[in-house]
């Protein structure tokens, strides 16, 4: 059973940075892709950044140039470096995963992900 645990959320002022981590276990020998999603009050859960099974990355337009997704050396930890944060980035952030390379659909497609963490809260004050 795949398990995901997020950490690194917190409260920062606008313009600040945070680094989220997602520790994964239970993958076995399968190829997986990973995505970071966020859910703000009154909005749908959206894909923010993803890393495919071959290590290539994909980002939502509104975070390009500010957020960076990366993997640890052991590939069982995925990070989301978030810079130049704004109050609009306030949300619960989740990591999620499914098997495969994940080119189509992409790892930003909420409904296609099979396993989810419980989330970590990010609050940005103005």
């Amino acid at each position: 059973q795949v398990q995901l645990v997020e950490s690194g959320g917190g409260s920062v002022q606008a313009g600040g940075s945070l680094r989220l981590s997602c520790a994964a276990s239970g993958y076995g020998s399968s190829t997986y892709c990973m995505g970071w999603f966020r859910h703000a009050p009154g909005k749908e859960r959206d894909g923010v950044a993803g890393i495919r099974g071959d290590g290539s990355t994909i980002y939502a337009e509104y975070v390009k140039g500010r957020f960076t997704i990366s993997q640890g050396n052991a590939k069982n930890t995925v990070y989301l470096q978030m810079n130049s944060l704004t109050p609009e980035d306030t949300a619960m952030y989740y990591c999620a995963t499914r098997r495969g390379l994940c080119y189509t659909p992409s790892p930003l497609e909420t409904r296609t992900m099979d396993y989810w963490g419980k989330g970590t809260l990010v609050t940005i004050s103005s």
Side-chain angles (χ1 to χ4, degrees), residues 6 8-11 18 20 39 41 90-93 118-123:
E6 304 95 335
S11 298
L18 282 172
L20 306 183
H39 194 182
T90 294
M92 185 71 81
Y93 283 73
K118 293 183 178 181
T120 186
L121 182 62
V122 171
T123 304

Side-chain angles (χ1 to χ4, degrees), residues 16-37:
S17 298
L18 282 172
R19 188 192 197 203
L20 306 183
S21 299
C22 175
S25 60
Y27 276 150
S29 60
S30 300
T31 297
Y32 283 83
C33 63
M34 182 78 75
W36 280 100
F37 299 79

Side-chain angles (χ1 to χ4, degrees), residues 11-124:
S11 298
V12 298
Q13 289 190 327
S17 298
L18 282 172
R19 188 192 197 203
L20 306 183
S21 299
C22 175
S25 60
Y27 276 150
S29 60
S30 300
T31 297
Y32 283 83
C33 63
M34 182 78 75
W36 280 100
F37 299 79
R38 70 186 189 186
H39 194 182
K43 297 184 178 180
E44 293 186 354
R45 187 176 299 191
D46 282 335
V48 173
I51 190 161
R52 300 182 184 94
D54 62 359
S56 60
T57 57
I58 184 171
Y59 296 91
E61 282 297 322
Y62 51 85
V63 302
K64 281 184 179 179
R66 299 191 299 127
F67 291 10
T68 303
I69 189 170
S70 61
Q71 279 180 315
N73 289 336
K75 295 189 178 181
N76 61 351
T77 302
V78 175
Y79 304 98
L80 185 67
Q81 177 68 42
M82 306 187 295
N83 299 327
S84 302
L85 287 162
T86 74
E88 288 70 34
D89 295 315
T90 294
M92 185 71 81
Y93 283 73
Y94 300 87
C95 63
T97 189
R98 74 172 193 264
R99 288 183 179 88
L101 290 175
C102 304
Y103 272 89
T104 303
S106 84
L108 301 186
E109 298 291 335
T110 305
R111 293 181 179 86
T112 68
M113 306 307 271
D114 294 323
Y115 303 98
W116 291 82
K118 293 183 178 181
T120 186
L121 182 62
V122 171
T123 304
I124 312 301

